[in-house]
């Protein structure tokens, strides 16, 4: 939102078709993080796992731009690797949750009857748990590691997708164009994929965008608790956890990973607001109001 | 009105039953033999079989569930594998510690955030609004455990104003308890005002566009009267519902804040028992939080008509 947007005159004029400011800033931040994650996957200034006891707790400077940790490992390199881990985990988790949730939602909404009742009963029971709590319980089952997190968070978040997709399918199947497709002799399956699913994309993408934020946050929280990606592999969360005992010696160790998580979340939140303003009909007309 | 109450309570009962089934199934899925865990790796097969029989593990899963559920109804959740403590007593004492932090944080946050959101919406796109919504968006984006670490760094380590680690119960040392809990409560408070300002603002904006607000203004009511009498009363509903969800989510996610400030709360208990695979305690914690979550949301829904009489008309 620039200052010029705020004057009544500029609001009266038809807006130029630029994306809203929050989308631009959010998109820029998310783009940067994905870029860093891609670079971090193939190249880092130092080996993120290499111990070097001569540079323990070295403050940020020419040699180590963001300093070195309690084992003398380069913080910048570890943050970059952590970015790729976080991005990779969130892509896998959101994909998993969307695929599982959409399948359940479509099946429940399309078949209705007992299938719907049973599926939604299970779904509601899962929604009765706060997300992170369910993930903690599931982690106890699947084990605390990278793929355990994907599975636990994916299962924990898929009920929200299922609920939204089912609602959309139920309201869609009463509409004329679905009826027309059937009358034309198209099979249920064809109608489903050709006409129903494409109309679920808008609500799913609104949810999926904010889900990226939930996953980044949950993943770093779980790693912080020692239930996520196990050390020595760096993630933003477990870097914060291992920095905690050295707070008075090397405060910067507790600062940089936190900045990374916060900036990532800020970017996703801004982008999420923009996506919601764009797709959520209830919010339409309030565009640019954030 | 009464029909609304019965309908809503009637919806909660099957949910609670399903939640307990879910917790039971989840914990049964944890790999490893509970009897083996209890006796250690060196146990001979005879005592293992004996223990399995005593724990009821030789019965069918369905029978096990019925026994477990029966005990649950009498408040018996078994005892901890590692310490032998009674799970119900252990979990509820830890729960009280977490609950006081969460309740205080949410209460203060609501008192600040709801008016702030209304003012932001009232001044939509003005400087005040941009400042408030900007601060709120920033606050939601800072994870609680990092915010906590930053506070610890500033007030505990650098300034030494507040104790860095520890906890005393309120009953033993009220002043000390306040000092220990100040930072955790402030951490959650700052996070929650972010969430609640955004919600309060969004729902106020929707109401502000309606005709009766214009009408109230045209009548010559002061802006203050329009906002408090007409706008607030009609826009508070969604924020109220969110407060219920936030309470539950905080209980689910409080482990991180308890870890930062080393508070012996429910979240920490759950994480520790996951490390130790102490499955009766895991079961107790999951059940306690999930049931609280369902009950809090039930209470929120039952009180909702106070803010929006339309709801009971359904």
């Amino acid at each position: 939102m620039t200052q010029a947007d705020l004057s009544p005159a500029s609001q009266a004029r038809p807006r130029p078709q630029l994306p809203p400011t929050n989308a631009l800033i959010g998109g820029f931040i998310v783009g940067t993080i994905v870029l860093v994650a891609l670079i971090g996957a193939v190249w880092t200034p130092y080996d993120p796992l290499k111990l070097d006891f001569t540079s323990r707790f070295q403050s940020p400077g020419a040699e180590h731009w963001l300093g070195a940790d309690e084992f003398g490992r380069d913080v910048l390199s570890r943050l970059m690797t952590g970015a790729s881990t976080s991005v990779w985990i969130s892509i896998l988790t959101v994909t998993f949750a969307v695929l599982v949730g959409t399948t359940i939602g479509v099946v429940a909404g399309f078949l209705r009857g007992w299938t719907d009742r049973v599926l939604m009963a299970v779904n509601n029971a899962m929604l009765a748990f706060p997300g992170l709590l369910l993930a903690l319980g599931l982690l106890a089952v699947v084990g605390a590691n990278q793929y355990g997190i994907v599975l636990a968070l994916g299962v924990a978040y898929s009920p929200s997708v299922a609920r939204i997709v089912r609602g959309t399918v139920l309201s869609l199947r009463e509409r004329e164009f679905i009826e027309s497709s059937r009358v034309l002799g198209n099979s249920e399956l064809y109608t489903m994929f050709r006409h129903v699913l494409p109309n679920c994309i808008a609500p799913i993408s609104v949810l999926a965008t904010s889900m990226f934020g939930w996953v980044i946050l949950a993943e770093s929280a779980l790693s912080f608790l020692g239930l996520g990606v196990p050390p020595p592999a760096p993630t933003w969360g477990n870097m914060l956890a291992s920095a905690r005992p050295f707070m008075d010696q090397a405060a910067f160790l507790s600062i940089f990973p936190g900045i990374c998580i916060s900036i990532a979340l800020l970017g996703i939140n801004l982008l999420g607001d923009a996506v919601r303003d764009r797709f959520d009909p209830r919010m339409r007309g309030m565009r640019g109001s954030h | 009105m009464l029909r609304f109450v019965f309908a809503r309570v009637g919806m909660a009962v099957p949910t609670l039953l399903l939640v307990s089934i879910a917790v039971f199934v989840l914990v049964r899925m944890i790999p490893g033999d509970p009897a083996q865990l209890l006796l250690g790796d060196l146990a001979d097969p005879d005592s293992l079989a004996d223990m399995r029989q005593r724990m009821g593990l030789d019965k069918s899963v369905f029978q096990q569930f019925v026994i477990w559920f029966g005990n649950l109804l009498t408040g018996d959740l078994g005892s901890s594998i590692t310490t032998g403590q009674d799970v119900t007593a252990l979990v509820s004492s830890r729960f009280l510690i977490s609950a006081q932090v969460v309740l205080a944080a949410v209460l203060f946050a609501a008192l600040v955030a709801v008016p702030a959101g209304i003012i932001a919406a009232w001044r939509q796109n003005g400087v005040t609004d941009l400042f408030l919504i900007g601060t709120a968006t920033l606050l939601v984006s800072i994870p609680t455990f990092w915010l906590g670490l930053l506070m610890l760094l500033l007030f505990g380590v650098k300034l030494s104003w507040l104790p860095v680690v520890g906890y005393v119960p309120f009953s033993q040392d009220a002043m000390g308890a306040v000092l220990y809990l100040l930072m955790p409560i402030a951490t959650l408070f700052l996070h929650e005002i972010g969430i609640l300002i955004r919600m309060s603002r969004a729902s106020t904006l929707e109401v502000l566009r309606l005709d009766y607000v214009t009408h109230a203004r045209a009548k010559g009511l002061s802006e203050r009267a329009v906002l408090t009498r007409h706008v607030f009363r009609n826009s508070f509903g969604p924020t109220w519902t969110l407060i219920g969800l936030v309470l539950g989510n905080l209980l689910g996610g409080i482990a991180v804040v308890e870890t930062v400030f080393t508070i012996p709360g429910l979240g920490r208990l759950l994480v520790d028992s996951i490390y130790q695979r102490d499955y009766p305690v895991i079961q107790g914690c999951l059940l306690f939080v999930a049931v609280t979550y369902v009950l809090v949301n039930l209470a929120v829904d039952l009180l909702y008509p106070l803010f929006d009489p339309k709801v009971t008309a359904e």
Side-chain angles (χ1 to χ4, degrees), chain B residues 6-83:
Chain B
F6 278 124
R8 188 58 190 80
V9 174
M11 267 164 64
V13 173
T15 311
L16 286 175
L17 183 65
L18 282 167
V19 162
S20 41
I21 295 177
V23 169
F24 178 82
V25 171
L26 195 66
V27 173
R28 281 306 131 116
M29 274 159 52
I30 296 178
D33 181 350
Q36 182 106 52
L37 270 176
L38 199 59
L39 294 175
D41 289 335
L42 299 173
D44 59 287
D46 277 352
S47 50
L48 258 180
D50 187 47
M51 180 54 84
R52 289 178 63 83
Q53 198 179 1
R54 266 199 289 155
M55 293 172 77
L57 292 171
D58 52 342
K59 298 191 174 65
S60 75
V61 176
F62 180 72
Q63 278 174 313
Q64 288 183 43
F65 175 74
V66 172
I67 296 171
W68 177 78
F69 192 71
N71 290 340
L72 174 65
L73 290 180
T74 62
D76 177 10
L77 285 167
S79 50
S80 159
I81 288 180
T82 45
T83 61

Side-chain angles (χ1 to χ4, degrees), chain B residues 110-219:
Chain B
L111 287 177
V112 174
V114 172
I118 295 177
I119 292 173
W122 180 49
R123 287 267 171 251
Q124 188 187 2
N125 292 345
V127 181
T128 322
D129 179 32
L130 284 185
F131 170 74
L132 284 172
I133 197 69
T135 313
T137 308
L138 205 63
L139 284 175
V140 211
S141 308
I142 301 178
T144 47
F145 50 97
W146 188 51
L147 196 60
L149 278 178
L150 286 183
M151 284 212 198
L152 215 55
L153 198 59
L154 182 63
F155 298 112
V157 177
K158 296 279 179 228
L159 299 172
S160 314
W161 287 353
L162 291 166
V164 177
V165 291
Y167 173 78
V168 282
F170 214 72
S171 50
Q172 277 179 25
D173 174 10
M175 195 56 212
V178 170
L179 283 183
Y180 280 123
L181 293 181
L182 208 56
M183 282 202 282
I185 292 176
T187 302
L188 293 180
F189 165 80
L190 284 175
H191 187 71
E192 295 322 314
I193 53 173
I195 298 179
L196 293 178
I197 286 180
R198 283 160 59 96
M199 188 59 170
S200 166
R201 178 181 178 277
S203 53
T204 308
L205 277 180
E206 277 187 36
V207 172
L208 275 174
R209 288 184 301 164
L210 301 177
D211 287 340
Y212 67 83
V213 176
T214 319
H215 179 249
R217 281 186 175 139
K219 241 173 21 179

Side-chain angles (χ1 to χ4, degrees), chain A residues 109-133:
Chain A
F110 220 74
L111 295 180
R112 297 193 288 186
W114 274 105
T115 324
D116 181 32
R117 253 169 266 170
V118 172
L119 284 177
M120 282 307 115
V122 175
N123 210 55
N124 287 335
M126 289 173 73
L127 284 170
F129 292 89
L132 194 61
L133 183 81

